[in-house]
Amino acid sequence: MKYQNMFILATLLLLIGCSETPEKAVKNGDVVSDLGVIGNIDKLDHFISEISNKKDSSVKITRFTKEGDPVFIRLNYTQNKIEVEEDPSKDRNGNKEKRKYLCTSITNKEQADEVHYLIMDCSPSRSTELLVVPK
């Protein structure tokens, strides 16, 4: 019985320690703008700048669902293409299928009180709003 309780406690601590939070994602260097936490937006702006200068670059974005589950997005720019890798495997309520696709442009559009980051001209045909940041 003593070992069973220790196993349960160790498992719970492992699950709590491994769970991704917006604060932890920011600390890890990810771009985050969700659940009231904003961080490392400058890295996404730098990525866009590198693309406009035709320099290879990459950035990781962690978005969070309404329930607080992380969805990881990695953008890799090389040879005039942006490879997008979406990993929703930690989303308990959504589709867990990882997706990869290619795009040719990324931009930010300023509105009155927020900035929208969009990835466009993708194959298969899709455009995606990466994140929205309050001004």
Side-chain angles (χ1 to χ4, degrees):
M1 187 68 155
K2 179 179 175 182
Y3 293 112
Q4 183 180 15
N5 289 340
M6 287 177 56
F7 175 75
I8 291 170
L9 180 62
T11 302
L12 286 174
L13 288 174
L14 181 65
L15 288 173
I16 291 169
C18 292
S19 62
E20 188 76 28
T21 64
E23 293 82 4
K24 189 182 280 187
V26 169
K27 190 175 181 179
N28 289 338
D30 298 0
V31 175
V32 175
S33 177
D34 275 324
L35 302 178
V37 175
I38 299 169
N40 301 319
I41 302 302
D42 58 314
K43 290 185 177 191
L44 185 54
D45 291 329
H46 179 75
F47 177 77
I48 293 171
S49 175
E50 292 290 272
I51 288 174
S52 66
N53 293 321
K54 306 285 187 207
K55 293 183 180 178
D56 290 358
S57 188
S58 65
V59 68
K60 182 180 174 192
I61 300 168
T62 302
R63 289 193 322 210
F64 290 85
T65 64
K66 292 176 190 171
E67 298 79 22
D69 298 330
V71 175
F72 306 104
I73 302 169
R74 180 161 297 281
L75 306 175
N76 295 302
Y77 175 76
T78 186
Q79 299 176 349
N80 297 323
K81 293 179 187 164
I82 305 167
E83 181 181 65
V84 181
E85 298 176 30
E86 293 182 15
D87 179 359
S89 61
K90 303 287 186 200
D91 183 357
R92 290 173 284 186
N93 298 317
N95 183 347
K96 300 196 183 331
E97 182 182 333
K98 295 179 183 180
R99 296 175 291 279
K100 282 187 181 184
Y101 50 95
L102 295 175
C103 303
T104 59
S105 65
I106 183 172
T107 190
N108 54 6
K109 296 196 180 217
E110 293 192 26
Q111 295 187 354
D113 57 347
E114 52 194 19
V115 179
H116 294 253
Y117 288 86
L118 308 162
I119 189 115
M120 300 175 300
D121 304 320
C122 302
S123 176
S125 181
R126 67 189 302 161
S127 292
T128 301
E129 184 170 77
L130 294 171
L131 49 95
V132 178
V133 180
K135 280 186 174 180

